[in-house]
Amino acid sequence: MGSAMEPPGSAYLHLGAVTSPVGTARVLQLAFGCTTFSLVAHRGGFTGVQGTFCMAAWGFCFAVSALVVACEFTRLHGCLRLSWGNFTAAFAMLATLLCATAAVLYPLYFARRECPPEPAGCAARDFRLAASVFAGLLFLAYAVEVALTRARPGQVTSYMATVSGLLKIVQAFVACIIFGALVHDSRYGRYVATQWCVAVYSLCFLATVAVVALSVMGHTGGLGCPFDRLVVVYTFLAVLLYLSAAVIWPVFCFDPKYGEPKRPPDCVRGSCPWDSQLVVAIFTYVNLLLYVADLAYSQRIRFVPSL
């Protein structure tokens, strides 16, 4: 549920929402975010899936950050039916990942030292380089908020502010990368074994999203069993499931009996099934390591669900 009501006689506006270290980081997020997508929209330009993703990421993060600052400044977050501490911690981690991805993709696909052809010309190049700089600053601003709000050892806090809670966001983000590679001609439907791997990715993703949603909505206390114990059990099962996928997927994609151990020479860049299979394999191991780290941390956390 929402935060506790403010005591009678307190000011309606909370200046600490913009003057505290966390508040300052959020104001910088708004400034850098607005500057970044304004530069791109004005003269920098964007095309294709990569450019659309970058603009969508910056726009989404700016909109939610503006909502967070407005609610903190006016103290209206106490009226919302959600756990404000869990919501802001989860969003800060998600925004950090989104902005980190955009800060890599936009310079990689659009920023060049050479001037593009007319009518864009050198002005477009300069705008793109400037947007790339501010995109990096935007990522740093969100990363600073995550560092400032992360739970310290021995501190009693909301679940999403703990290392285990932050890892849940990263796990879901990595799963989305896996899904993107799967639908990009990965040929996962050829074998039952690879279909099992897809089921593992989907099941763990849905369970992770459910944990995050329950925490953000403040409903972890009504599950009939201790939430922290339930999280440990689920994380242990996720480790076992991902371990099976980490063994099965490479065998059925890269073993000579079932797939291609090396990239086929006639495989077209950008639409090669082998590339998609390699991306899935790499991020399967990344998520396996994340779940193992989550299991180690989740056994030691102490949190308050309603914060």
Side-chain angles (χ1 to χ4, degrees):
M1 306 297 282
S3 302
M5 298 299 293
E6 299 295 332
S10 60
Y12 289 109
L13 299 181
H14 180 214
L15 293 179
V18 293
T19 58
S20 66
V22 175
T24 302
R26 289 171 177 165
V27 171
L28 290 176
Q29 292 162 12
L30 294 176
F32 294 151
C34 183
T35 303
T36 301
F37 64 69
S38 296
L39 289 170
V40 175
H42 180 56
R43 290 293 297 274
F46 65 96
T47 57
V49 176
Q50 296 83 6
T52 302
F53 170 83
C54 293
M55 288 296 286
W58 294 326
F60 168 77
C61 293
F62 177 83
V64 180
S65 292
L67 175 65
V68 169
V69 171
C71 288
E72 290 271 3
F73 188 65
T74 58
R75 302 182 188 270
L76 288 178
H77 59 84
C79 303
L80 302 178
R81 299 180 62 85
L82 52 78
S83 173
W84 188 250
N86 280 316
F87 171 75
T88 53
F91 166 70
M93 188 70 245
L94 176 61
T96 300
L97 296 172
L98 289 173
C99 291
T101 305
V104 173
L105 287 179
Y106 191 80
L108 185 64
Y109 283 91
F110 299 100
R112 299 287 187 273
R113 290 186 178 180
E114 301 80 12
C115 295
E118 296 295 340
C122 292
R125 179 205 61 182
D126 296 341
F127 272 81
R128 291 173 182 178
L129 292 175
S132 300
V133 172
F134 278 98
L137 294 175
L138 179 60
F139 155 69
L140 291 177
Y142 280 110
V144 167
E145 181 181 350
V146 172
L148 290 173
T149 57
R150 182 178 65 85
R152 301 297 186 267
Q155 180 182 5
V156 178
T157 183
S158 55
Y159 173 69
M160 294 308 303
T162 65
V163 174
S164 179
L166 296 175
L167 284 174
K168 290 290 186 297
I169 304 296
V170 184
Q171 291 159 7
F173 188 82
V174 171
C176 290
I177 298 176
I178 293 176
F179 292 141
L182 285 172
V183 300
H184 193 64
D185 196 22
S186 65
R187 298 180 181 176
Y188 65 85
R190 291 187 301 169
Y191 304 107
V192 175
T194 51
Q195 294 177 25
W196 160 257
C197 294
V198 176
V200 168
Y201 304 142
S202 303
L203 179 63
C204 293
F205 173 76
L206 292 175
T208 300
V209 170
V211 169
V212 174
L214 287 172
S215 299
V216 170
M217 298 303 295
H219 295 328
T220 56
L223 297 177
C225 61
F227 180 69
D228 50 354
R229 186 173 303 175
L230 185 64
V231 168
V232 171
V233 172
Y234 149 66
T235 307
F236 177 70
L237 293 176
V239 169
L240 296 180
L241 290 172
Y242 257 90
L243 185 60
S244 69
V247 173
I248 293 173
W249 183 268
V251 170
F252 280 85
C253 290
F254 306 120
D255 188 276
K257 183 179 179 180
Y258 304 102
E260 297 284 346
K262 296 183 179 180
R263 191 180 191 274
D266 58 342
C267 218
V268 180
R269 183 179 179 182
S271 59
C272 181
W274 194 90
D275 292 343
S276 298
Q277 293 167 0
L278 180 63
V279 170
V280 173
I282 291 173
F283 283 97
T284 296
Y285 284 103
V286 170
N287 239 3
L288 174 60
L289 294 176
L290 290 173
Y291 277 108
V292 171
D294 189 0
L295 181 63
Y297 278 104
S298 61
Q299 298 182 71
R300 306 184 316 201
I301 61 173
R302 295 294 183 271
F303 66 96
V304 178
S306 60
L307 287 179

